[in-house]
Amino acid sequence: GENVEQHPSTLSVQEGDSAVIKCTYSDSASNYFPWYKQELGKGPQLIIDIRSNVGEKKDQRIAVTLNKTAKHFSLHITETQPEDSAVYFCAVNTGFQKLVFGTGTRLLVSP
Amino acid sequence: NAGVTQTPKFQVLKTGQSMTLQCAQDMNHNSMYWYRQDPGMGLRLIYYSASEGTTDKGEVPNGYNVSRLNKREFSLRLESAAPSQTSVYFCASSTQLNTGELFFGEGSRLTVL
């Protein structure tokens, strides 16, 4: 089945710095790559997604880049703020139409 | 807007007891899912329902059963709870199967002693 690896598992940055989280996957048929943010005690919430016909997508301070040849995609958060502190999950759809999630990255933004 | 509502939010069971987690969505979504979340393992799909009247196994279905009661409701049943089923369970829904945004409930924390 699809294997999704997510790194790092924890990331600490100072407010205003950039944060980058990377995911690799194995199924070359995958064509949908969402990122979810989970705040403490809440369910995950979609923050950005990308489909395989584009290489980059931006939404204000958040961007996702996709390299289908290398089978990896990354989440970039610029000008981090304390409210960005959360757990972030990448996900990949498989040829069997199921979403497989990465293991999560705990981001801590210190003031 | 309620979105996806799960009940109960917390539950403690003894080994061998049974229980049902309830989930309802008010977004007229076709597809619904049950995930479990364990430390260091991300979210793993237990069962899903592509549309009303259908259910399919996910990655970790053993020990669970589901019922898609109608378009709004999707329940998860543990027939004989085991300590390995201690986890946080999330219900989610989407307009279509796995190609768009998943909307998650706030989770149900289950402890099996």
Side-chain angles (χ1 to χ4, degrees):
Chain A
E2 174 71 274
N3 184 34
V4 180
E5 294 191 2
Q6 183 173 344
H7 298 283
S9 57
T10 59
L11 180 58
S12 293
V13 300
Q14 293 289 324
E15 183 176 0
D17 288 349
S18 294
V20 181
I21 304 169
K22 182 175 178 178
C23 285
T24 60
Y25 62 97
S26 58
D27 188 350
S28 57
S30 297
N31 60 7
Y32 177 61
F33 309 90
W35 285 92
Y36 284 80
K37 176 183 180 182
Q38 184 178 26
E39 296 178 345
L40 195 61
K42 303 284 187 182
Q45 189 169 16
L46 181 72
I47 55 171
I48 196 167
D49 58 10
I50 193 168
R51 299 184 188 275
S52 60
N53 57 340
V54 296
E56 183 176 3
K57 184 176 179 181
K58 284 186 178 180
D59 183 2
Q60 299 182 349
R61 296 185 296 107
I62 293 172
V64 56
T65 58
L66 171 65
N67 184 328
K68 283 219 75 180
T69 302
K71 296 181 188 171
H72 66 72
F73 59 111
S74 299
L75 177 70
H76 304 256
I77 305 174
T78 59
E79 301 174 24
T80 54
Q81 300 167 4
E83 51 265 39
D84 294 329
S85 295
V87 179
Y88 292 82
F89 292 96
C90 65
V92 178
N93 71 330
T94 73
F96 297 99
Q97 293 299 306
K98 297 175 185 176
L99 264 185
V100 178
F101 284 81
T103 51
T105 296
R106 184 174 300 277
L107 175 64
L108 176 63
V109 181
S110 302
Chain B
N1 289 338
V4 178
T5 303
Q6 293 181 229
T7 55
K9 294 193 184 311
F10 300 94
Q11 184 72 51
V12 179
L13 290 177
K14 295 181 180 178
T15 297
Q17 289 185 319
S18 62
M19 77 158 298
T20 300
L21 298 176
Q22 307 285 356
C23 175
Q25 52 92 7
D26 62 2
M27 295 172 282
N28 201 34
H29 285 168
N30 290 313
S31 302
M32 298 186 74
Y33 317 81
W34 276 105
Y35 286 88
R36 61 177 289 173
Q37 183 175 31
D38 302 292
M41 302 190 75
L43 292 150
R44 293 182 293 168
L45 182 63
I46 305 171
Y47 270 92
Y48 65 101
S49 172
S51 61
E52 185 178 357
T54 68
T55 61
D56 284 288
K57 295 178 180 179
E59 185 183 353
V60 288
N62 291 345
Y64 305 95
N65 284 303
V66 290
S67 295
R68 183 74 183 267
L69 304 171
N70 48 55
K71 192 171 186 179
R72 290 187 64 247
E73 299 173 287
F74 189 40
S75 63
L76 178 72
R77 182 162 178 83
L78 286 69
E79 291 291 351
S80 178
S84 61
Q85 294 178 304
T86 293
S87 188
V88 181
Y89 292 85
F90 287 96
C91 178
S93 69
S94 66
T95 53
Q96 293 180 358
L97 185 65
N98 287 329
T99 58
E101 181 174 2
L102 293 184
F103 292 82
F104 284 86
E106 297 207 329
S108 299
R109 183 175 293 275
L110 175 65
T111 301
V112 183
L113 303 175

